[in-house]
Amino acid sequence: MLLNVLRDPLATQCFIAIRSMCDLFGTGEYLGSYAQLMHLCTPPKPERGPSRKGPTREVLRGVLDDLEAYGLIARDKSANFNHGQLRIYLAVRKKSNSKPVVKKSRPI
């Protein structure tokens, strides 16, 4: 979905950042803030030369809206606003029932 439909590098980076934070605690839930997510999506400062800007809050909100529209994440906007936190849930992946194809090697 990220690479074939959205084709947005920021959406991919944002999803991977959220997923890595969710897997850190094993809950499937990201609990943080927009500032923290903006920091995770900002490129590191180079040794020399100008540093590249990170995403703004509005851009990040648009990316999260896109991820939610395609079913990759879920969030409760009213609860997030009331609690002053950004709480994002990862969508449950479908498990494949098919078994991998394994060819047995023949003896040499």
Side-chain angles (χ1 to χ4, degrees):
M1 184 66 67
L2 287 171
L3 299 175
N4 292 330
V5 178
L6 281 175
R7 295 183 185 188
D8 183 10
L10 183 59
T12 305
Q13 182 182 10
C14 186
F15 182 77
I16 291 172
I18 291 169
R19 181 161 181 84
S20 68
M21 295 302 287
C22 290
D23 287 347
L24 186 64
F25 300 109
T27 60
E29 176 185 6
Y30 171 80
L31 182 61
S33 65
Y34 279 106
Q36 183 183 24
L37 197 54
M38 286 166 46
H39 177 70
L40 288 173
C41 293
T42 301
K45 185 173 180 169
E47 192 174 313
R48 286 184 234 146
S51 60
R52 293 182 292 175
K53 303 283 186 199
T56 62
R57 183 182 170 125
E58 289 76 25
V59 169
L60 202 55
R61 287 181 80 175
V63 166
L64 291 177
D65 287 341
D66 290 343
L67 290 173
E68 187 176 17
Y70 286 106
L72 295 172
I73 63 170
R75 59 187 170 153
D76 185 3
K77 293 178 187 176
S78 61
N80 287 345
F81 181 75
N82 292 336
H83 295 287
Q85 294 179 336
L86 182 61
R87 184 170 283 181
I88 299 171
Y89 303 94
L90 286 179
V92 178
R93 287 198 210 161
K94 295 178 184 176
K95 293 192 177 189
S96 175
N97 292 333
S98 62
K99 294 181 181 178
V101 176
V102 178
K103 290 185 177 181
K104 293 184 178 181
S105 61
R106 59 178 197 190
I108 299 177

